[in-house]
Amino acid sequence: LDPEPRSASITATEDTFLLQLHQDAFYEIMADRIEVVKGILKILVRRLRDQNNLIHGLKGEVKGLSKDEA
């Protein structure tokens, strides 16, 4: 979705057939198919929510550690 390097990688454990979709072609698909955009947004929102929950949990752990030190 952006020109930045990927934030994840993967290693196939068996022979795999892969396809590549260039950014311009992907944008054309999104322009023509709103359901693709909705699906992407749904995934991005879920990932953002998961990260917010993780951060909230870590903040609670840090507060708990701070209380133990006091």
Side-chain angles (χ1 to χ4, degrees):
L1 295 175
D2 67 18
E4 297 298 317
R6 292 183 48 82
S7 60
S9 63
I10 190 165
T11 302
T13 58
E14 58 188 54
D15 289 345
T16 306
F17 182 78
L18 303 172
L19 300 173
Q20 181 178 9
L21 182 60
H22 291 279
Q23 188 178 39
D24 290 340
F26 186 54
Y27 285 164
E28 285 181 34
I29 292 169
M30 290 195 309
D32 293 338
R33 307 289 300 261
I34 190 65
E35 64 271 18
V36 172
V37 176
K38 287 180 179 180
I40 292 167
L41 287 173
K42 185 176 180 179
I43 291 167
L44 291 175
V45 167
R46 183 176 57 226
R47 288 182 179 183
L48 181 59
R49 185 173 292 117
D50 290 347
Q51 290 301 308
N52 285 341
N53 289 337
L54 177 63
I55 290 168
H56 181 73
L58 291 173
K59 283 182 179 179
E61 288 181 26
V62 169
K63 284 183 182 179
L65 290 174
S66 296
K67 288 180 183 177
D68 291 343
E69 293 176 0

